């Protein structure tokens, strides 16, 4: 068994600018349709949720990159962060590009100016 971790923090204003200055086609390169739908339903705090998911993807990439044969084989849309029925964030790998993860835990937080994500991945036999 091996344990890897990743963390990321981002300014919400950076993500707001990215979203406001970007067309939907570009946004689709970073976020899945389900992630966009989730964030857009958050109305006046949607940028905080977009930023938290951006930080989450960065933290996930940091946690798994040492185990990938080619870190460029995985894209933004290969990773999806959605909440379960209790509101707890969950990581979904959309494609089969990441193998060997026994468990992955994620924690997201945000305030007015920043969003942060922490990820712990446990590797081993399933």
């Amino acid at each position: 068994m091996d344990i890897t971790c990743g963390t990321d923090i981002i300014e919400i204003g950076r993500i707001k600018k990215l979203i406001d200055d970007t067309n939907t086609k570009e946004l689709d390169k970073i976020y899945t349709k389900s992630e966009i739908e989730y964030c857009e339903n958050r109305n006046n705090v949607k940028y905080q949720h977009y930023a938290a998911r951006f930080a989450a993807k960065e933290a996930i990439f940091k946690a798994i990159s040492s185990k990938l044969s080619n870190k460029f084989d995985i894209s933004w849309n290969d990773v999806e962060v959605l909440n379960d029925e209790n509101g707890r964030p969950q990581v979904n790998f959309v494609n089969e590009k990441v193998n060997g993860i026994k468990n992955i835990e994620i924690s997201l937080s945000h305030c007015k100016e920043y969003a942060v994500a922490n990820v712990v991945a446990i590797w081993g036999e399933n």
Side-chain angles (χ1 to χ4, degrees):
M1 179 173 65
D2 196 11
I3 298 172
T4 56
C5 66
T7 190
D8 194 68
I9 186 170
I10 189 158
E11 295 168 321
I12 292 169
R14 259 183 78 198
I15 296 301
K16 181 181 184 314
K17 182 170 176 25
L18 172 78
I19 291 168
D20 289 347
D21 293 350
T22 302
N23 62 37
T24 305
K25 191 178 213 179
E26 290 298 313
L27 200 59
D28 289 341
K29 291 180 181 178
I30 299 171
Y31 301 99
T32 66
K33 291 190 187 315
S34 296
E35 288 171 323
I36 293 170
E37 181 180 314
Y38 171 83
C39 293
E40 288 296 322
N41 285 329
R42 298 298 163 273
N43 300 319
N44 60 343
V45 293
K46 72 180 185 179
Y47 298 111
Q48 292 173 335
H49 291 273
Y50 274 116
R53 273 140 190 82
F54 188 93
K57 291 177 185 225
E58 286 282 352
I60 292 163
F61 293 150
K62 291 173 183 176
I64 68 173
S65 64
S66 67
K67 299 289 188 176
L68 299 176
S69 58
N70 182 351
K71 66 181 177 180
F72 300 108
D73 282 346
I74 191 165
S75 70
W76 290 97
N77 276 327
D78 291 330
V79 177
E80 182 176 65
V81 179
L82 297 174
N83 291 8
D84 67 13
E85 61 278 354
N86 297 317
R88 189 169 180 261
Q90 301 291 306
V91 176
N92 301 317
F93 291 102
V94 178
N95 294 315
E96 298 293 323
K97 295 179 180 179
V98 179
N99 296 313
I101 294 179
K102 187 175 182 179
N103 191 23
I104 189 162
E105 294 291 330
I106 186 166
S107 178
L108 307 177
S109 190
H110 49 77
C111 62
K112 184 178 179 182
E113 295 181 27
Y114 297 97
V116 65
N118 291 295
V119 171
V120 174
I122 300 172
W123 302 80
E125 300 294 321
N126 287 332

